[in-house]
Amino acid sequence: MIFDTHAHYDSGAFLQDRDEILRAVHEAGVGLILDPGCEAKSSRLAIELAEKYDFVYAAVGIHPGDLDSADEDSLLEIRTLAEHPKCVAIGEIGLDYYWDDTHKEEQKRLFRWMIELALELDKPVIVHDREAHADTMEIALDYPKLRGVFHCFSGSVEMARELWKRGWYLGFDGPITYKNARKAVEVLEACPPDRLLIETDSPYLSPVPMRGKRNDSRNLRYVIDRIAEIRGLPPEEIERISTENGLRLFGIVR
Ligand code: NI
């Protein structure tokens, strides 16, 4: 069974054929999907999908790119949604200085608010870190009890080692299939087997040879094959360990 631990089926990119795609993906062997929200509305949609489909789970949170939406009402809604039984994490949260480097303090405040909610509810976090490695690490490691995943990890092996030491997981996506993926390949080679998660980030980050097209969880096959090649293991083994890791981190019993 394949577990796509990061796919945005709540996205407008799936407005026309969401149910059709989810059924096709499930039939293709993707047994579990985790859909993280990016602000209050998409978090609500993610929860609705989790209610509708037995194999879909949700995370709720406000993405740094949606900082503008973080008013009192939406924070309140996130807090309420977070208590839903199929909400297994707080995410997608973090820092993104590529998108916006003029509101760093506001991004950091929002990130901490979300982390504190996760700790209060004893749930892991799904972290987005784009061109903000130092600050993301500083904040994440400020909370020794915090558990979670650095989604679509783009840091160095040294940074990865710091995270593994503290029990963090790393998520790998389509970009590991790109020709210029040198750093991510190095991290994958060094990754302890019990710290590895696989994700699509659908509808984004399509792997080779689907680059440029809308992504969905069926393309996880290409990510799994590439990881298997890098690690010198059969694809079924990558499938098995990454699913086991996902179930463990997100506390899902199947
Ligand atoms: Ni994402």
Side-chain angles (χ1 to χ4, degrees), residues 60-62 79 90-91 93-95 107-127 135-147 150 168:
V60 304
I62 300 181
R79 174 177 284 279
I90 302 300
I93 61 173
L95 302 174
Q107 285 194 30
K108 288 189 207 172
R109 259 204 304 277
L110 179 63
F111 187 27
R112 285 190 186 271
W113 192 94
M114 293 289 157
I115 288 175
E116 282 157 25
L117 176 63
L119 287 170
E120 188 190 317
L121 300 177
D122 193 25
K123 293 188 194 225
V125 290
I126 299 169
V127 175
D135 287 354
T136 309
M137 282 295 270
E138 189 188 316
I139 293 176
L141 301 186
D142 221 12
Y143 301 88
K145 290 212 172 95
L146 188 64
R147 303 166 297 124
F150 270 56
W168 284 80

Side-chain angles (χ1 to χ4, degrees), residues 164 168-172 188 191-198 227 231 238 241-246 248:
W164 293 326
W168 284 80
Y169 293 71
L170 302 185
F172 296 92
L188 252 177
C191 188
D194 62 346
R195 292 285 167 246
L196 178 143
L197 297 181
I198 52 172
I227 296 175
R231 302 283 301 204
I238 301 300
I241 59 173
S242 60
T243 296
E244 235 171 57
N245 294 342
R248 185 188 323 113

Side-chain angles (χ1 to χ4, degrees), residues 44-150:
R44 198 187 320 132
L45 283 171
I47 293 282
E48 281 170 19
L49 286 176
E51 282 178 341
K52 185 165 177 185
Y53 294 97
D54 167 64
F55 59 93
V56 176
Y57 287 78
V60 304
I62 300 181
H63 186 287
D66 287 286
L67 180 69
D68 285 353
S69 78
D71 55 17
E72 219 174 297
D73 286 350
S74 47
L75 291 176
L76 197 67
E77 182 167 11
I78 296 289
R79 174 177 284 279
T80 308
L81 292 170
E83 299 195 41
H84 190 282
K86 285 195 85 181
C87 171
V88 294
I90 302 300
E92 173 171 352
I93 61 173
L95 302 174
D96 193 326
Y97 297 166
Y98 173 83
W99 178 258
D100 174 11
D101 67 356
T102 56
H103 297 91
K104 291 186 178 175
E105 292 312 310
E106 291 89 334
Q107 285 194 30
K108 288 189 207 172
R109 259 204 304 277
L110 179 63
F111 187 27
R112 285 190 186 271
W113 192 94
M114 293 289 157
I115 288 175
E116 282 157 25
L117 176 63
L119 287 170
E120 188 190 317
L121 300 177
D122 193 25
K123 293 188 194 225
V125 290
I126 299 169
V127 175
H128 170 102
D129 159 24
R130 192 161 180 207
E131 299 197 4
H133 297 328
D135 287 354
T136 309
M137 282 295 270
E138 189 188 316
I139 293 176
L141 301 186
D142 221 12
Y143 301 88
K145 290 212 172 95
L146 188 64
R147 303 166 297 124
V149 54
F150 270 56

Side-chain angles (χ1 to χ4, degrees), residues 6-8 36-38 63 92 126 128 151-152 173 199-205:
H6 195 115
H8 301 281
C38 292
H63 186 287
E92 173 171 352
I126 299 169
H128 170 102
H151 135 72
C152 195
D173 315 53
E199 330 171 317
T200 53
D201 206 17
S202 297
Y204 316 108
L205 303 184

